[in-house]
């Protein structure tokens, strides 16, 4: 079974009857694996692990390859809005019920097209932002070269795609960052990403040369060390007089345009905000029933409230 597992894992959890026979299994042994739920017979002559992706299983059963957004998802690229139905590629344009069919050269040895092919197909098929997210994630992760995309779309009819490729930034760190930047750029803001600030480090972006924005996501900001580091960076920005807004990644993934009112209002506040007055020293401070008096000898007394019982 170990050999079968290794073979299936190399091939997206799917194999043909001939593959099982080639590693020494006879018909009775194959039937036993199916009866015990270790394998599923998904189509004529096709078998899969129960954990195999349904879209790849469907593609294998139709003798086609997973493509476009579906392939990008399978290969771990950034996909903002997963395809509602599998996207596949086949040599002919014949339709397949429940699939979006891309016509192109298909290798029978490749159940999922390459990262490069998935990105190229997304540019021709998906909405602009969705295609850009896939492409930027692939380029930022070093899995697709920007120059190869530029070369592939060098034809005169590809000028719109070249405009999109020109917006790719190889320094993007996450899908929410990409979506936030696209929303801000399309709204007419000037955006610089991954800006290095002395005493702070690298920030996600700067809008119109003066407002820092940071995208907060659980993946990179959930641990205690990350929490403390974020606060250190935040304090450093404030001490340098640099305004900053922090935007939850979840908001951006739900609606990238949610960044626009936050940034717009922050920029407006920066223009109209009065200078910060000096802190006013008070002789007496009252809060939540606590009465504190400060004496000239820097000692505290007259502490009334819950803390008094502790003997502070």
């Amino acid at each position: 079974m170990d050999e079968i597992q290794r073979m299936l894992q190399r091939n997206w959890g799917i194999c043909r009857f001939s593959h099982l026979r080639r590693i020494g299994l006879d018909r009775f042994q194959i039937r036993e694996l199916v009866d015990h739920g270790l394998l599923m017979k998904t189509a004529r002559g096709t078998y899969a692990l129960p954990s195999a992706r349904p879209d790849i299983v469907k593609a294998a059963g139709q003798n086609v390859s997973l493509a476009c957004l579906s392939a990008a998802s399978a290969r771990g690229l950034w996909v903002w809005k997963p395809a509602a139905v599998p996207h596949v590629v086949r040599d002919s344009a014949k339709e397949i019920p429940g699939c979006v069919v891309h016509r192109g050269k298909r290798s029978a040895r490749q159940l999922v097209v390459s990262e490069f092919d998935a990105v190229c197909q997304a540019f021709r098929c998906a909405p602009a932002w969705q295609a850009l997210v896939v492409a930027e994630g692939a380029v930022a992760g070093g899995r697709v070269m920007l120059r190869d995309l530029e070369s592939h779309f060098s034809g005169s009819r590809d000028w719109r795609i070249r405009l999109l490729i020109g917006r790719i930034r190889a320094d993007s760190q996450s899908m929410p960052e990409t979506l936030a930047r696209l929303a801000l750029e399309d709204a007419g803001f000037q955006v610089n990403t991954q800006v290095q600030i002395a005493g702070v480090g690298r920030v996600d972006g700067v809008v119109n040369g003066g407002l820092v924005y940071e995208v907060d996501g659980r993946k990179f900001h959930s641990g205690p060390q990350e929490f403390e580091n974020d606060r250190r960076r935040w304090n450093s920005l404030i001490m340098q007089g640099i305004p900053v807004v922090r935007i939850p990644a979840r908001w951006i993934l739900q609606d990238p345009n949610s960044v626009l009112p936050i940034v717009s209002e922050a920029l407006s506040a920066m223009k109209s905000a009065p200078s910060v007055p000096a802190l006013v020293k008070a002789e007496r401070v009252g809060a939540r029933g606590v009465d504190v008096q400060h004496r000239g000898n820097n000692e505290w007394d007259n502490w009334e409230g819950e803390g008094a019982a502790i003997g502070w």
Side-chain angles (χ1 to χ4, degrees):
M1 189 62 192
D2 289 344
E3 187 176 355
I4 299 173
Q5 290 278 4
R6 287 193 295 271
M7 178 190 68
L8 288 165
Q9 287 169 1
R10 290 194 301 268
N11 203 43
W12 305 96
I14 299 169
C15 67
R16 302 286 294 176
F17 176 78
S18 58
H19 299 153
L20 297 172
R21 292 284 289 161
R22 198 174 298 145
I23 63 174
L25 296 181
D26 57 29
R27 292 179 182 274
F28 175 77
Q29 291 171 316
I30 295 172
R31 191 179 304 116
E32 283 282 297
L33 292 173
V34 173
D35 290 344
H36 285 84
L38 300 176
L39 280 182
M40 301 185 303
K41 186 173 183 179
T42 57
R44 184 179 179 182
T46 304
Y47 297 83
L49 291 172
S51 58
R53 286 176 57 114
D55 51 2
I56 305 180
V57 170
K58 183 167 186 174
Q62 297 287 341
N63 293 316
V64 295
S65 299
L66 211 61
C68 195
L69 296 178
S70 300
S73 174
R75 291 195 174 274
L77 300 180
W78 297 346
V79 176
W80 177 31
K81 295 183 178 180
V85 297
H87 286 235
V88 300
V89 62
R90 67 183 305 171
D91 297 329
S92 69
K94 184 178 178 181
E95 293 185 359
I96 299 175
C99 292
V100 175
V101 177
H102 295 252
R103 185 176 180 179
K105 188 176 180 181
R106 183 249 175 183
S107 170
R109 295 178 177 273
Q110 193 176 46
L111 279 175
V112 180
V113 302
S114 68
E115 288 96 338
F116 181 79
D117 287 343
V119 170
C120 293
Q121 291 160 350
F123 271 126
R124 297 201 184 280
C125 173
W129 280 18
Q130 293 188 46
L132 267 172
V133 165
V134 173
E136 189 156 290
V139 171
R143 300 169 71 174
V144 170
M145 296 294 104
L146 190 57
R147 61 176 178 272
D148 292 338
L149 290 175
E150 293 169 340
S151 176
H152 183 79
F153 292 105
S154 59
S156 59
R157 296 182 179 180
D158 295 329
W159 63 271
R160 288 186 178 87
I161 296 178
R162 286 198 297 275
L163 290 177
L164 292 178
I165 293 173
R167 298 185 68 180
I168 293 174
R169 300 197 184 180
D171 59 1
S172 182
Q173 300 294 302
S174 70
M175 178 163 52
E177 286 183 32
T178 295
L179 289 167
R181 190 196 81 242
L182 293 176
L184 291 166
E185 287 178 343
D186 282 4
F189 293 103
Q190 177 190 347
V191 184
N192 297 96
T193 56
Q194 298 301 314
V195 178
Q196 187 75 27
I197 298 178
V200 177
R202 197 176 298 275
V203 298
D204 292 340
V206 177
V207 182
N208 290 1
L211 174 67
V212 168
Y213 71 89
E214 291 270 64
V215 176
D216 287 344
R218 290 181 181 273
K219 183 175 180 180
F220 301 108
H221 301 268
S222 58
Q225 184 175 352
E226 291 82 1
F227 180 88
E228 291 181 6
N229 187 52
D230 280 349
R231 270 51 191 174
R232 178 193 62 77
R233 288 155 46 82
W234 195 356
N235 291 340
S236 295
L237 287 166
I238 297 301
M239 286 186 283
Q240 294 185 50
I242 302 173
V244 56
V245 292
R246 305 177 70 96
I247 309 167
R250 182 172 59 86
W251 294 3
I252 298 169
L253 291 172
Q254 290 176 348
D255 179 14
N257 287 322
S258 64
V259 305
L260 301 182
I262 299 171
V263 168
S264 296
E265 291 174 20
L267 289 171
S268 296
M270 287 167 58
K271 294 178 182 178
S272 59
S275 59
V276 180
L279 293 177
V280 178
K281 294 183 179 179
E283 290 297 322
R284 189 177 182 87
V285 180
R288 297 175 65 184
V290 176
D291 188 10
V292 180
Q293 287 186 348
H294 186 258
R295 301 193 309 188
N297 60 358
N298 292 326
E299 295 178 355
W300 299 86
D301 66 1
N302 256 4
W303 184 281
E304 297 178 2
E306 295 180 1
I310 306 176
W312 288 358

